[in-house]
Amino acid sequence: MASSSLEHEQVFIGPGLSLFKRLVTIIGIIGVTALILWIAVYQHSSRNDASVIGSSIAAVLFVAGFVYYLRLIAPVPFTITVSPQSVVKRSRRGEVIDLPWENIARIKEEFFPNGKRIGVTAYRKVTEPGQKAKAWAVYRDDVTDIDGLAEALKQAMPDSTNWQSETVHE
């Protein structure tokens, strides 16, 4: 491996969904569910028929499906560890992407036209069928110090790894 100027590992944190956003979402879902149940009780007292029960069950199932969808797309907390040997991304769900430097084909950073960094993406050398070249991507809102992450990657990467900078959204 080529020499790198990074002597120790650095850890960068992706905090996931903030507590404020999580609480506002939970309160909103509880409020919508309470509204559905209030409408169901109100309608049931005035129109005692099966359509009220059926529509209430359908509405609650819709809300449950929406909650499931939110769980799927919610940002998961993660850490990225940059060391002289490799780059490791670990998520709280247990997913680990360990990329030794010799397996990284290129790293791409993207900027807005004003020079603000948008994101950093790591691409691996495809070594087996079905493996994707894009190993991971992090964006400005995903990680607490995206500029520090980019600098640590630049310092640690060997000469064989290609660094690509790109201005987007022009």
Side-chain angles (χ1 to χ4, degrees):
M1 181 172 132
S3 64
S4 67
S5 61
L6 185 71
E7 296 174 4
H8 63 283
E9 65 182 33
Q10 292 181 302
V11 178
F12 297 91
I13 298 170
L17 195 61
S18 71
L19 179 62
F20 174 75
K21 290 178 182 176
R22 196 174 321 135
L23 287 175
V24 168
T25 303
I26 289 170
I27 290 169
I29 289 173
I30 289 172
V32 167
T33 304
L35 179 66
I36 290 169
L37 295 177
W38 178 75
I39 290 171
V41 168
Y42 177 77
Q43 288 294 320
H44 185 67
S45 65
S46 64
R47 301 177 38 187
N48 194 5
D49 63 353
S51 67
V52 172
I53 295 170
S55 61
S56 300
I57 291 172
V60 168
L61 286 175
F62 180 78
V63 169
F66 182 67
V67 168
Y68 176 71
Y69 170 73
L70 288 177
R71 294 282 299 173
L72 285 177
I73 66 165
V76 178
F78 64 88
T79 60
I80 295 177
T81 305
V82 180
S83 71
Q85 296 79 27
S86 65
V87 178
V88 181
K89 182 179 180 195
R90 289 183 178 86
S91 74
R92 185 179 287 173
R93 290 186 182 156
E95 179 187 16
V96 178
I97 302 172
D98 188 1
L99 295 171
W101 282 107
E102 58 268 8
N103 291 350
I104 297 178
R106 70 183 167 117
I107 297 175
K108 181 174 89 173
E109 63 182 344
E110 295 177 335
F111 292 94
F112 282 120
N114 66 1
K116 188 179 252 189
R117 186 174 278 113
I118 300 171
V120 177
T121 307
Y123 294 91
R124 67 170 64 106
K125 295 175 184 170
V126 178
T127 57
E128 55 190 57
Q131 188 179 43
K132 295 181 180 178
K134 183 177 176 181
W136 51 261
V138 292
Y139 300 96
R140 181 162 213 76
D141 295 340
D142 295 342
V143 67
T144 53
D145 183 16
I146 194 159
D147 296 322
L149 173 62
E151 290 306 314
L153 288 169
K154 280 182 186 178
Q155 288 178 3
M157 73 177 208
D159 296 333
S160 61
T161 303
N162 183 20
W163 187 271
Q164 179 183 358
S165 294
E166 185 176 303
T167 301
V168 295
H169 302 295
E170 293 188 69

